[in-house]
Amino acid sequence: MLVAVAVTAAGLAVSTTSSAATLDDGLVVHYDLTRSSGAAVPDTSGFGRDGTIAGDTTWLGAEGLRLGGVNGHVRLPGDVTRGLTDLTVSVQVALAADQSVPYFLWGLGNWPVEQTVDSGRNLTAGSRRTITCTFGNGAATLYVDGVPVARKTGVTTVPASIGDAVDHYLGRSADQPGRYLKGDLRDFRLYGRVLSPGEARELAKTTASERPAADVAALDLGDVSAVTGDLALPAKSPGGSAISWASSRPSVVTPGGVVTRPEPRSGHATVTLTATASYAGYTAKRDFTATVLEDITDRQKVDNALKDVVIHDEDAIRGNVTLPVKGAHDVTFTWQSSDPRVVTATGEVTRPPHGSRPRTARLSVRATKGYTTGTRYFTLTVLPLPKKAAMEGYLFAYFTGESTQDTEQVHFAVSRGNDPLHWDELNGGRPVLRSKHGETGVRDPFVVRSPEGDRFFLVATDLQINDGRGWDAAMRHGSRYLEIWESTDLVTWSDQRHVPVSDATAGMTWAPEATYDPLIGAYVVYWASNVYSAGDTNHTGSTYPRMMYSTTRDFRTFTPPQVWNDPGRGVIDSTVLKEGDYYYRLATDEQVIGSCPRDLVLERSKDLRAVDLPGTEPRNWELVDDCIRTRLGTSWVEGPTAFKSNDGSKFYVFVDETPRRGYLPFVTDSLANPNWSIPADYQLPAKPRHGTVLPVSKAELERLRQGPPPPRANKKGVLADYDLTGGSGSVVADLSGNGRAATIRGDVTRSPSGLVFGGKDGGLDLPDGLKTGLNQLTVSVQMWLEDPVRGLPSGNWHTVTCTLSNGSARLFDNTVEFANVGGVTGKLDDLIGIMTTNSAGARFHGKMRRLTMWNRALTVPEVAALQRGRR
């Protein structure tokens, strides 16, 4: 059996007690693991069952034994479970922050049938915990710091069935090579009996009593020296303690964090907030001093609210616009339009016919707070409608897996003419769009065309499994954001927008799609979320995915999320097609709407926003077909993308047969009366995963094949030029005249001598598309190195220049070439990474004061001129 534990403390206290004198009763093995040297691990139980250390281990004295995570472990004698019908295993562990998953605290032989107990939660890294697991009387119970976090009944095997002369380990798996623990261990105990709950609590007294103090010390409220809004006061710490709050001045800051600022000109208020951390019956307190600034006047609130109003693309309006009705500080907005036939006071837009001149409309917004008002004016230019064009091809947007950083990005392919079954990959199979925000992985891209026809939005999941936290963590604590790009031609895309759409009860926001609803003049955006109760802030309870939805006009401002389809068990990956009077919805269903497991169901409704809940009977969406993949003989499928053929004769659904072949095409002549089949001849892109197919015109298809044009440069070939000295804020202006501002993120601060990079998570985010269509490029940066980079000495300034030509990069330090790197074909950030990353892969640590990019490879004399200050 494998005894594998990866849990987080639940923070639940138990009332039972026990005497410490009983904790030696029934010991089979006891390793205190507090030696300073030696290969042997003495057994202090009195039975002489010494262990042996192996691999990358280090004795830490009283702190225990450190396992390095490569191959370090402790081997136990093979007879430790001989004759045992009951068992308790316990150890104190401080997990390393960079522990890879999965991992094993201990592995005891190979039982005939694996028996495990799982809390469904991950062990918090960086803090010492006592993990105790009992097996006996047909049940297994798991404790963290003496708190029961999981229990399983129906355990059918006993420890004695392991037998002798088998492998028993502490810090590694017994039968899964390569799964080693990285962290510190102390006080390992193996009993031949089931410890009581009180004994488990007593055994964990040391680590449990330390938990509240550690958790309250780790609380971070951010900067509370100038509070102007409500405070987020956590009710639970990541370490598991429950947190309660008290306020010295509840009229200013309530224990729930609600802030009431002092009246204008009455002075600022100082408030002491006291956090009490409680865990397993132990408590610790900490005070925070917050300064709440006096309130501003109603005139200031009105003026500020008006200044903050934005109508995006006001000089090139292509669809309905979002006109806010509320501003900060509860300021209300009232809109009026000079010409409601063009733009109404609620933002509905009527575009002139194709061939007409653009039309303008003047909007006014009146802001009101109490008796104070103010007005601001906007002039909108509404573009004429585009010429209608026949659809004569298809675009396929998708990702390709989680094996590398590149596979979890947006890839494009296009059809061979008007054939939806044969495809060619674009950009050499490399990503077309890459995520810079959130988890920096992007999956499930969906492209929607506006009803007017000349604007496109791409929405995608913010998720990285490669180098990420694993699937369980992603479902419980995943991103609540959507990643969004916008385009008017499908080849030139806006900067990425990282937009929150889910609330704090959601554990994930997966596989978004969008359908325009003419009844509300907005898009209905829908996605799958695990939803937890409001009180389950750590998302530790049981739940299932359901479909949520929100509406938007501009993919910037979204309404609060609502349940769209919750049949009572898991449903994911919905896609919608409009045909006739009906919206047809395909989804992956866990045998609750339909009658087959992990299969597609096809439903329809005349109301796109009709909601189905567990108690809805009959359902508002009528079931048209189910067991679709089962009848076609495939394995389970997910990620359907549906589209109608351009000639109107067929409906295609591409589905991801994840366990076997990847994407497959299903086809039917009708959605109302489906006759599904799998075509005999098709050639999809190499490795497409959950994506979308969009019909496109002949001109759009040709433009996609050509790709985006190279980025504009000034007369000297400069693409972007940044002076990184001085300044304020996160945006760095582009001095080239091309308007390509960069953005500071992470542990980067400004200084008169340049941007200071802390070496942890900092970076300078450059605009997308700077390398598009170029086979030559030069990047030059003046930088001060705190840590050596590629052999360059630290402690002084360098002008490091990288020229790229046909995939070969030459690196210069001042005027001397010091490296040549081949095969450079990726994103611009990769090129800058070559220049700034040290041999250990750490981020840049030092300063930068100038960064310039050209659309060509500079000559050696030109590189030398940079050192002399000529640009």
Side-chain angles (χ1 to χ4, degrees):
M1 174 187 175
L2 305 175
V3 182
V5 185
V7 298
T8 300
L12 304 175
V14 291
S15 60
T16 53
T17 60
S18 175
S19 169
T22 67
L23 292 181
D24 288 339
D25 294 345
L27 273 173
V28 176
V29 174
H30 183 198
Y31 302 149
D32 64 19
L33 300 174
T34 58
R35 303 193 73 191
S36 57
S37 63
V41 183
D43 174 21
T44 59
S45 71
F47 295 107
R49 298 186 176 101
D50 295 351
T52 306
I53 63 171
D56 58 333
T57 58
T58 306
W59 289 109
L60 304 176
E63 291 301 307
L65 176 66
R66 175 159 293 170
L67 306 184
V70 177
N71 56 7
H73 63 278
V74 177
R75 181 186 290 270
L76 283 68
D79 63 350
V80 294
T81 58
R82 178 189 298 169
L84 299 182
T85 57
D86 297 334
L87 180 75
T88 296
V89 185
S90 181
V91 68
Q92 292 182 17
V93 55
L95 192 67
D98 58 345
Q99 170 72 65
S100 60
V101 292
Y103 59 88
F104 284 69
L105 295 186
W106 59 75
L108 301 182
N110 294 286
W111 287 14
V113 178
E114 181 176 321
Q115 304 282 333
T116 62
V117 56
D118 181 12
S119 74
R121 288 167 278 179
N122 293 328
L123 181 65
T124 303
S127 60
R128 193 178 300 275
R129 301 299 179 93
T130 298
I131 309 299
T132 304
C133 195
T134 67
F135 291 87
N137 301 317
T141 303
L142 181 63
Y143 300 85
V144 177
D145 283 340
V147 178
V149 297
R151 179 173 174 81
K152 179 179 180 178
T153 58
V155 177
T156 57
T157 55
V158 296
S161 62
I162 296 177
D164 295 347
V166 296
D167 293 332
H168 301 309
Y169 297 109
L170 178 59
R172 62 160 287 187
S173 165
D175 67 350
Q176 298 189 46
R179 294 184 174 178
Y180 289 88
L181 180 74
K182 186 175 184 181
D184 302 342
L185 299 178
R186 194 170 65 184
D187 195 26
F188 174 76
R189 297 166 180 253
L190 190 151
Y191 293 84
R193 65 184 181 90
V194 174
L195 264 62
S196 69
E199 290 173 314
R201 177 186 171 114
E202 190 69 27
L203 192 63
K205 184 175 182 179
T206 299
T207 56
S209 62
E210 296 170 347
R211 173 62 21 224
D215 284 353
V216 79
L219 289 177
D220 184 5
L221 299 185
D223 184 2
V224 290
S225 64
V227 175
T228 59
D230 293 346
L231 296 174
L233 303 181
K236 200 158 193 175
S237 74
S241 293
I243 309 295
S244 60
W245 294 87
S247 171
S248 65
R249 300 180 67 178
S251 62
V252 179
V253 183
T254 71
V258 177
V259 171
T260 302
R261 296 170 64 178
E263 291 294 322
R265 294 179 289 273
S266 65
H268 306 324
T270 299
V271 181
T272 299
L273 297 171
T274 302
T276 301
S278 304
Y279 183 81
Y282 302 96
T283 61
K285 294 187 177 184
R286 181 185 171 193
D287 288 340
F288 296 83
T289 300
T291 299
V292 179
L293 302 187
E294 66 180 13
D295 206 354
I296 59 177
T297 65
D298 285 353
R299 168 51 58 197
Q300 291 172 305
K301 292 175 182 177
V302 165
D303 291 346
N304 290 344
L306 284 173
K307 182 179 64 176
D308 291 341
V309 174
V310 175
I311 300 178
H312 295 282
D313 305 315
E314 58 184 286
D315 58 344
I317 298 295
R318 288 182 166 89
N320 294 344
V321 295
T322 300
L323 301 179
V325 296
K326 283 282 187 181
H329 302 288
D330 204 30
V331 173
T332 60
F333 294 136
T334 304
W335 292 84
Q336 289 186 337
S337 171
S338 66
D339 192 346
R341 296 169 300 173
V342 180
V343 182
T344 70
T346 50
E348 290 78 23
V349 171
T350 301
R351 292 173 63 176
H354 174 70
S356 302
R357 299 179 63 182
R359 298 186 65 182
T360 60
R362 196 177 194 206
L363 298 182
S364 66
V365 55
R366 184 182 186 189
T368 304
K369 177 69 176 178
Y371 296 102
T372 305
T373 64
T375 303
R376 183 180 172 191
Y377 296 92
F378 296 84
T379 299
L380 275 56
T381 302
V382 179
L383 301 183
L385 288 167
K387 182 180 180 180
K388 288 190 175 182
M391 298 294 103
E392 300 184 40
Y394 305 88
L395 166 67
F396 193 178
Y398 53 93
F399 76 106
T400 61
E402 49 266 346
S403 60
T404 70
Q405 291 283 330
D406 271 6
T407 57
E408 290 184 298
Q409 306 295 337
V410 179
H411 296 244
F412 279 178
V414 291
S415 62
R416 296 174 189 170
N418 213 5
D419 178 1
L421 294 177
H422 294 84
W423 297 82
D424 296 315
E425 299 175 15
L426 297 183
N427 199 32
R430 298 186 301 273
V432 173
L433 296 172
R434 299 173 185 268
S435 176
K436 293 182 179 179
H437 301 294
E439 299 189 13
T440 67
V442 62
R443 301 164 63 106
D444 319 321
F446 179 83
V447 184
V448 60
R449 184 192 295 268
S450 70
E452 296 82 8
D454 59 347
R455 188 160 59 152
F456 306 88
F457 299 97
L458 188 152
V459 295
T461 303
D462 177 29
L463 174 62
Q464 182 180 177
I465 293 300
N466 173 266
D467 234 7
R469 299 164 294 174
W471 286 108
D472 182 74
M475 290 186 287
R476 294 179 183 274
H477 306 287
S479 176
R480 295 186 283 116
Y481 287 71
L482 294 182
E483 305 311 314
I484 299 171
W485 287 265
E486 183 176 342
S487 176
T488 58
D489 59 9
L490 293 172
V491 296
T492 303
W493 293 86
S494 68
D495 287 342
Q496 178 184 358
R497 300 200 288 263
H498 183 58
V499 183
V501 293
S502 293
D503 60 31
T505 63
M508 64 192 196
T509 305
W510 284 3
E513 296 203 6
T515 301
Y516 188 78
D517 187 348
L519 294 180
I520 57 173
Y523 300 87
V524 178
V525 183
Y526 38 92
W527 64 86
S529 283
N530 276 347
V531 178
Y532 297 84
S533 66
D536 185 7
T537 56
N538 283 351
H539 296 179
T540 57
S542 297
T543 188
Y544 55 88
R546 66 212 72 185
M547 295 301 301
M548 310 293 293
Y549 87 92
S550 173
T551 65
T552 182
R553 285 181 169 177
D554 54 12
F555 288 85
R556 297 175 185 269
T557 303
F558 290 79
T559 60
Q562 303 179 58
V563 175
W564 187 41
N565 185 15
D566 177 6
R569 286 207 307 274
V571 60
I572 60 172
D573 295 351
S574 292
T575 190
V576 173
L577 272 181
K578 179 75 182 297
E579 178 66 9
D581 293 333
Y582 284 98
Y583 294 96
Y584 287 84
R585 181 174 69 189
L586 278 152
T588 300
D589 169 55
E590 295 287 357
Q591 200 172 349
V592 55
I593 300 172
S595 54
C596 291
R598 205 67 181 269
D599 208 329
L600 297 181
V601 292
L602 177 64
E603 302 172 281
R604 70 179 185 180
S605 170
K606 292 183 178 180
D607 180 1
L608 176 61
R609 288 168 288 122
V611 173
D612 281 312
L613 300 174
T616 305
E617 187 62 40
R619 285 174 58 83
N620 289 313
W621 285 74
E622 172 194 1
L623 183 64
V624 176
D625 197 10
D626 68 344
C627 297
I628 297 169
R629 67 94 182 164
T630 299
R631 292 198 306 272
L632 293 177
T634 76
S635 186
W636 59 266
V637 297
E638 58 186 16
T641 178
F643 60 98
K644 187 176 184 178
S645 65
N646 289 333
D647 64 8
S649 65
K650 297 183 182 300
F651 298 89
Y652 290 89
V653 177
F654 289 3
V655 294
D656 192 354
E657 189 190 28
T658 303
R660 294 176 57 197
R661 292 168 286 185
Y663 255 119
L664 300 171
F666 292 177
V667 61
T668 178
D669 297 318
S670 168
L671 291 178
N673 298 287
N675 57 342
W676 299 103
S677 64
I678 299 177
D681 177 33
Y682 62 90
Q683 184 180 340
L684 303 187
K687 295 180 180 179
R689 297 283 301 278
H690 192 165
T692 179
V693 174
L694 178 76
V696 296
S697 68
K698 183 178 180 181
E700 290 166 341
L701 183 66
E702 292 175 349
R703 190 160 56 235
L704 280 162
R705 286 191 174 275
Q706 291 172 358
R712 182 184 71 256
N714 65 19
K715 292 180 179 180
K716 296 181 179 181
V718 176
L719 295 167
D721 188 15
Y722 306 104
D723 180 355
L724 306 178
T725 60
S728 62
S730 61
V731 177
V732 181
D734 173 19
L735 304 180
S736 71
N738 297 317
R740 299 189 175 105
T743 306
I744 299 168
R745 62 172 170 80
D747 63 335
V748 179
T749 56
R750 289 183 180 266
S751 79
S753 58
L755 293 182
V756 180
F757 292 74
K760 295 180 180 178
D761 60 355
L764 182 66
D765 284 341
L766 303 173
D768 294 331
L770 276 176
K771 191 172 170 288
T772 300
L774 299 176
N775 58 20
Q776 292 193 355
L777 189 74
T778 296
V779 181
S780 183
V781 60
Q782 295 176 4
M783 57 188 184
W784 175 282
L785 304 179
E786 295 291 347
D787 299 325
V789 171
R790 291 190 165 270
L792 301 179
S794 59
N796 52 21
W797 285 99
H798 300 259
T799 298
V800 178
T801 305
C802 180
T803 66
L804 175 66
S805 179
N806 297 317
S808 179
R810 300 173 67 187
L811 273 72
F812 297 84
D813 175 24
N814 299 329
T815 60
V816 179
E817 183 175 352
F818 67 94
N820 195 303
V821 182
V824 182
T825 58
K827 56 184 178 178
L828 180 62
D829 288 349
D830 291 338
L831 184 61
I832 295 177
I834 291 173
M835 301 166 62
T836 60
T837 304
N838 66 27
S839 58
R843 287 186 178 272
F844 176 66
H845 185 202
K847 299 178 184 178
M848 292 185 189
R849 64 187 182 194
R850 192 67 177 248
L851 190 151
T852 311
M853 285 163 281
W854 291 260
N855 63 359
R856 57 191 177 85
L858 296 187
T859 64
V860 173
E862 287 175 317
V863 172
L866 298 177
Q867 176 63 15
R868 297 192 297 270
R870 296 201 303 268
R871 293 181 176 276

